[in-house]
Amino acid sequence: MKSLPNTQPNARKFPLVDYHYQTSMLNGSSAPCVQTSKSLRDITRDYFDAEANREFLSEAAVFTALIAMAIMPIVTGISAVFQLLTNSPLF
């Protein structure tokens, strides 16, 4: 809705402000107390006890395959360097 223009010369431009307003005080809560949270170590231990055992074998197999694929080019490169050094006329 569009606001109407102020046509009265003595009209207030801002609303009244109650400078003596006080918020209500929060007294004790009626909600039951929540259990104290466990430490981060306990939370992670609970998680890994339940979840880690399920996928450990598959993750170990993938990790082993990745390591083997990473080592193969390194070994091939080292053997190529040795072959280069043995065939070079420097030695």
Side-chain angles (χ1 to χ4, degrees):
M1 194 156 90
K2 188 175 180 182
S3 62
L4 298 174
N6 192 0
T7 58
Q8 299 175 354
N10 293 336
R12 275 182 274 179
K13 296 183 182 185
F14 295 104
L16 285 176
V17 177
D18 184 11
Y19 291 104
H20 300 290
Y21 176 78
Q22 294 182 357
T23 60
S24 61
M25 299 293 289
L26 295 176
N27 294 333
S29 174
S30 62
C33 293
V34 179
Q35 282 184 335
T36 58
S37 63
K38 296 191 255 181
S39 68
L40 182 61
R41 185 177 183 184
D42 292 338
I43 293 170
T44 54
R45 184 181 301 130
D46 291 343
Y47 172 77
F48 284 118
D49 284 345
E51 297 293 325
N53 291 335
R54 294 180 195 160
E55 298 181 9
F56 177 74
L57 291 177
S58 63
E59 289 178 359
V62 170
F63 180 74
T64 304
L66 288 174
I67 294 298
M69 285 189 280
I71 288 176
M72 287 173 54
I74 294 171
V75 170
T76 305
I78 291 172
S79 68
V81 169
F82 282 138
Q83 190 176 23
L84 177 69
L85 291 176
T86 56
N87 292 334
S88 68
L90 297 175
F91 297 107

